[in-house]
Every structure is written in C-alpha cells, then in structure tokens.
Amino acid sequence: QVQLVESGGGLVQAGDSLRLSCAASGRTFSQYAMGWFRQAPGKEREFVGAINWSGIWTSYADSVQGRFTISRDNAKNTVYLRMNRLKPEDTAVYYCAARNTGMGATRQFEYLYWGQGTQVTVSS
C-alpha cells in the first residue's frame, strides 16, 4: 500500500512558477513509476507528466511540454512537478499517482495509487 500526499499548490499570477511535491509512504518508492494528472472544473482528469523509477524517462502532455518538469528524489520518497510560465488554463486540482511497476506510463488506468490533490489557481 502506498499513500501519496501532494503539497505546494496555491494562487499565482500568469507567468509565475510553482513547484508541487508529492510525498510517498513506504520503503519501495524507488520501484514505482510516478505521474502527475490534473482536473479542471467541469473537465475530465488529464495527464500532465510522468517519470519512471530512475528518473531517466519522462513524458509530458503537449500542453505543458517545455514549461513543466517532473523529477524525483528516491532518497526522500518524493516526486516533484516544477511548473514555469503558468497560464490561467493550468488552473486545476493536481494529483500525483503511483504505479506498481517502475516503467513510466501516461494513462490513468495504469496507475494504482492516487493522492488527494492540491489546488493550483492561475489568475490572468
């Protein structure tokens, strides 16, 4: 069982940066691929970015490519999402998720464990 707790969300202005963190419980964090997803009001949850167990492989949604960076610190059981040049359309609840395998993935059904989410609001 893995528990995930996101933090770092908040209210920012367009063009600002934020770094989200996702702290995971358990001693096997380094074996899990991790992903970030988001859900805007009235919309379905969508993929943002993902990282494999070692951090060598990453993948991003087209809408955030070049602005967002996902990374992980296995010694701290934490995955991060650095968000630069934020836009109002990035406003959403951001969720981190963990797979029960080290291989990265981009589809929600491939993730077994989910956090409760953290709100990011970008004003124009």
Side-chain angles (χ1 to χ4, degrees):
Q1 187 73 13
V2 177
Q3 292 185 332
L4 305 172
V5 179
E6 302 96 336
S7 62
L11 172 63
V12 296
Q13 294 185 334
D16 286 349
S17 298
L18 272 179
R19 190 181 75 163
L20 304 183
S21 300
C22 174
S25 65
R27 295 177 291 177
T28 58
F29 174 76
S30 62
Q31 300 178 12
Y32 299 134
M34 302 294 295
W36 285 96
F37 296 80
R38 67 186 182 186
Q39 187 168 20
K43 296 186 177 181
E44 295 186 351
R45 189 161 58 186
E46 63 177 7
F47 169 73
V48 175
I51 190 167
N52 75 332
W53 70 273
S54 67
I56 291 177
W57 177 93
T58 58
S59 179
Y60 299 94
D62 290 343
S63 59
V64 306
Q65 181 74 48
R67 299 188 298 124
F68 290 13
T69 302
I70 188 169
S71 61
R72 66 190 297 158
D73 186 337
N74 287 341
K76 296 182 178 180
N77 281 16
T78 302
V79 63
Y80 304 97
L81 183 67
R82 176 68 177 182
M83 305 184 294
N84 295 328
R85 304 196 305 278
L86 282 161
K87 305 175 181 180
E89 50 264 44
D90 294 319
T91 295
V93 177
Y94 283 71
Y95 300 90
C96 72
R99 301 192 73 199
N100 58 353
T101 172
M103 295 182 63
T106 62
R107 295 173 293 185
Q108 296 185 50
F109 72 85
E110 295 179 289
Y111 287 83
L112 185 60
Y113 306 106
W114 291 82
Q116 293 300 306
T118 184
Q119 176 71 46
V120 173
T121 303
V122 184
S123 63
S124 58

